[in-house]
């Protein structure tokens, strides 16, 4: 490999959200334990980004900054090259983050008491975006079919027909189950929503992290009708480990929806992003495609190593296929622990820190989500600690 995906970066006591969370779970956690929870990477940033930012800081003034033509061009170019999606510059709306964007979109498109449909188990901020904004949570649970998950279209149709349900908050690729949705699946979902006047907010933050043999299709690219009924949330943050830059690109082709969204965010006094975030995104999209390709190879390799380890030592644990994201979904229910005892064993004895499945909805009870965007040796060390504890 051209890039360094083996060096372990010391992140304890740096303010890392993941490490502070781990210390909250177990204040006596051993030194050098690496958590596998929050979705940022335990990997060095692409050197092109680091060196590019150093040069930029040396030559600029860190004042108020609006998106430049070069920045906008980099976003449009990335969407075309990596996703075969032609977007117009005016469709791009900046946001400090995808989570904040779908919070704002829910407030822009609905009123308190309106229903928001989600496909559970799902990324836990979906729940808070609905509850904290006094909207009604409407579950359309995914169907577990062997080692994969499918959409329950009949249930989705029933929920969409209720005029009180105004939005589908959709996750693509799906976090935590790792599905990359196929075109026919997206077409069925879009058709149901269009026929029932349900607007789609599509969280596609993991859309660059697609495993070999799979293809991500941007939801809005399937048809003009679908695009006009949709807000697509994208960012370089997961792709290039830039979450701290607070730079996301929200793509809204429909001017009416875009104006509604902009009125909401501007009412909160938001007008522009971080100057360094703009430049980091521009460099990443223009110069770091090769780094991303090698990253995907690493994640795919880690998935295979993990699956082999579990098959050998814990065949009762179901390791789901990883089609997209770097987040591995696993079912521990057949080990016989309830969710609380499983969590205690993980945190206090094995010192292994996943995201507990129950935070993704009750459908996740007894499951674990493991972040495998880390050096392979770090992942294996954690698995060995888990083996030692559970075998005892």
């Amino acid at each position: 490999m051209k890039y360094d995906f083996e060096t372990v970066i010391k992140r304890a006591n740096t303010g890392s959200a993941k490490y502070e969370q781990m210390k909250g779970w177990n204040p006596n956690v051993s030194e050098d334990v690496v958590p596998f929870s929050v979705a940022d990477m335990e990997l060095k940033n692409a050197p092109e980004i680091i060196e590019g930012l150093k040069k930029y800081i040396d030559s600029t003034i860190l004042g108020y900054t609006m998106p430049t033509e070069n920045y906008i061009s980099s976003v449009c170019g990335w969407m075309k090259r990596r996703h075969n999606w032609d977007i117009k510059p005016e469709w791009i709306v900046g946001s400090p983050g995808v989570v904040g964007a779908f919070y704002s979109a829910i407030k822009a498109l609905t009123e308190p008491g309106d229903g928001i449909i989600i496909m559970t188990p799902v990324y836990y901020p979906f729940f808070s975006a609905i509850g904290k904004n006094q909207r009604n949570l409407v579950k359309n649970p995914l169907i577990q079919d062997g080692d994969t998950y499918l959409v329950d279209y009949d249930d989705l149709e029933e929920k969409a027909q209720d005029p009180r349900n105004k939005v589908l908050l959709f996750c693509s690729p799906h976090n935590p189950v790792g599905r990359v949705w196929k075109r026919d699946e997206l077409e069925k979902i879009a058709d149901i929503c269009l026929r029932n006047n349900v607007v789609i907010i599509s969280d596609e933050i993991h859309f660059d992290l697609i495993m070999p043999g799979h293809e991500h299709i941007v939801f809005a690219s399937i048809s003009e009708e679908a695009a006009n009924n949709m807000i697509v949330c994208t960012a370089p943050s997961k792709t290039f480990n830039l979450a701290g830059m607070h730079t996301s690109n929200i793509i809204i082709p429909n001017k009416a929806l875009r104006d509604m969204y902009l009125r909401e965010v501007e009412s909160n006094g938001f007008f522009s992003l971080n100057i360094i975030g703009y430049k980091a995104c521009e460099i990443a999209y223009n110069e770091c495609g090769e780094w991303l390709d090698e990253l995907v190879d690493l994640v795919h390799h880690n998935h295979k190593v993990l699956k082999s380890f579990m098959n050998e030592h814990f065949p009762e644990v179901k390791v789901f296929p990883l089609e997209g994201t770097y987040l591995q979904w696993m079912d521990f229910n057949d080990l016989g622990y309830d969710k609380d005892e499983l969590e205690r064993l993980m945190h206090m004895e094995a010192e292994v820190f996943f995201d507990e499945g129950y935070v993704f909805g009750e459908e996740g009870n007894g499951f674990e989500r493991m972040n495998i965007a880390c050096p392979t040796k770090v992942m294996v060390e954690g698995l060995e600690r888990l083996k030692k504890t559970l075998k005892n």
Side-chain angles (χ1 to χ4, degrees):
M1 279 190 170
K2 174 180 176 181
Y3 295 100
D4 177 6
F5 292 116
E6 296 182 357
T7 297
V8 179
I9 304 298
K10 302 290 186 180
R11 299 180 70 193
N13 303 314
T14 65
S16 164
K18 184 190 301 185
Y19 283 75
E20 293 304 311
Q21 180 190 65
M22 177 175 66
K23 287 197 295 185
W25 286 332
N26 182 350
N28 299 313
V29 63
S30 301
E31 188 177 354
D32 295 331
V33 166
V34 174
F36 305 103
S37 52
V38 175
D40 61 16
M41 303 180 202
E42 297 299 319
L43 301 167
K44 295 174 67 174
N45 289 103
E48 292 87 350
I49 295 174
I50 301 303
E51 294 306 315
L53 290 180
K54 288 177 181 177
K55 292 177 182 177
Y56 181 62
I57 291 171
D58 281 342
S59 62
T60 194
I61 291 174
L62 303 177
Y64 294 114
T65 302
M66 302 302 291
T68 64
E69 288 186 11
N70 287 341
Y71 169 78
I72 296 296
S73 177
S74 72
V75 176
C76 293
W78 185 260
M79 299 304 171
K80 177 61 176 176
R81 292 192 308 276
R82 301 295 295 208
H83 298 285
N84 195 31
W85 187 30
D86 287 303
I87 67 170
K88 297 180 180 179
E90 60 267 26
W91 296 357
I92 303 169
V93 181
S95 171
V98 162
V99 172
F102 60 67
Y103 267 64
S104 293
I106 284 172
K107 289 191 287 184
L109 301 176
T110 65
E111 298 294 334
D114 286 344
I116 313 295
I117 303 169
I118 60 174
M119 296 179 178
T120 53
V122 75
Y123 183 45
Y124 48 87
F126 280 24
F127 296 91
S128 55
I130 296 166
K132 290 185 177 181
N133 287 309
Q134 296 79 50
R135 271 59 173 178
N136 184 34
L137 173 66
V138 181
K139 287 187 178 183
N140 169 224
L142 295 172
I143 299 169
Q144 187 179 335
D145 182 20
D147 66 352
T148 192
Y149 283 84
L150 304 174
V151 175
D152 187 338
Y153 299 106
D154 291 337
D155 183 68
L156 178 60
E157 180 86 54
E158 180 182 340
K159 303 290 171 58
Q161 286 176 348
D162 186 335
R164 295 172 296 179
N165 298 334
K166 303 294 179 60
V167 162
L168 169 64
L169 182 53
F170 187 65
C171 197
S172 179
H174 193 282
N175 173 11
V177 309
R179 274 298 317 276
V180 172
W181 305 111
K182 296 180 172 61
R183 181 175 293 276
D184 66 309
E185 294 174 306
L186 297 174
E187 288 173 344
K188 290 176 185 176
I189 296 166
D191 176 63
I192 290 170
C193 290
L194 283 164
R195 286 189 287 100
N196 292 285
N197 299 311
V198 173
V199 179
I200 299 168
I201 303 170
S202 188
D203 173 2
E204 305 195 19
I205 195 170
H206 293 275
F207 70 154
D208 295 315
L209 298 159
I210 307 302
M211 298 303 106
H214 300 278
E215 178 189 6
H216 177 81
I217 299 169
V218 175
F219 204 165
S221 71
I222 66 170
S223 71
E224 184 175 352
E225 293 77 13
N228 281 322
N229 190 48
M230 192 172 307
I231 291 174
V232 180
C233 301
T234 79
S237 54
K238 302 301 182 191
T239 309
F240 296 104
N241 211 20
L242 297 174
M245 290 294 180
H246 295 287
T247 300
S248 299
N249 300 297
I250 312 308
I251 317 298
I252 313 177
N254 184 319
K255 186 177 186 303
L257 291 181
R258 190 164 65 248
D259 288 346
M260 292 169 68
Y261 177 84
L262 284 170
R263 281 195 295 271
E264 174 59 38
V265 297
E266 289 171 0
S267 73
N268 294 313
F270 169 76
F271 298 99
S272 66
L273 300 177
N274 178 333
I275 182 174
I276 305 300
Y278 281 132
K279 181 54 68 171
C281 177
E282 180 185 326
I283 296 168
Y285 281 171
N286 288 342
E287 301 180 30
C288 298
E290 187 178 353
W291 184 91
L292 172 59
D293 293 339
E294 290 194 9
L295 168 69
V296 169
D297 288 342
L298 171 73
V299 173
H300 186 54
H301 171 73
N302 283 352
H303 163 71
K304 292 187 291 185
V305 171
L306 169 63
K307 188 172 181 63
S308 176
F309 185 96
M310 289 299 191
N311 285 343
E312 179 180 354
H313 299 290
F314 299 104
E316 307 93 334
V317 175
K318 179 179 289 186
V319 179
F320 285 81
L322 185 64
E323 300 177 359
T325 81
Y326 50 70
L327 303 167
Q328 179 64 64
W329 189 235
M330 296 178 283
D331 183 354
F332 280 70
N333 279 289
D334 285 348
L335 289 180
Y337 302 105
D338 67 30
K339 65 181 180 65
D340 295 326
E341 179 63 6
L342 181 63
E343 183 174 7
R344 188 194 69 79
L345 286 169
M346 294 279 190
H347 291 180
M348 307 310 293
E349 297 190 27
E351 295 190 322
V352 170
F353 300 88
F354 301 153
D355 273 321
E356 301 301 315
Y358 64 78
V359 305
F360 303 98
E362 62 184 358
E363 298 83 0
N365 285 346
F367 288 71
E368 302 284 349
R369 190 194 77 171
M370 181 182 188
N371 180 344
I372 60 173
C374 60
T376 305
K377 63 182 179 182
V378 169
M379 182 186 74
V380 172
E381 287 169 0
L383 294 175
E384 288 290 349
R385 292 198 304 275
L386 181 64
K387 181 181 75 170
K388 181 179 178 180
T389 296
L390 296 184
K391 291 297 185 183
N392 286 339

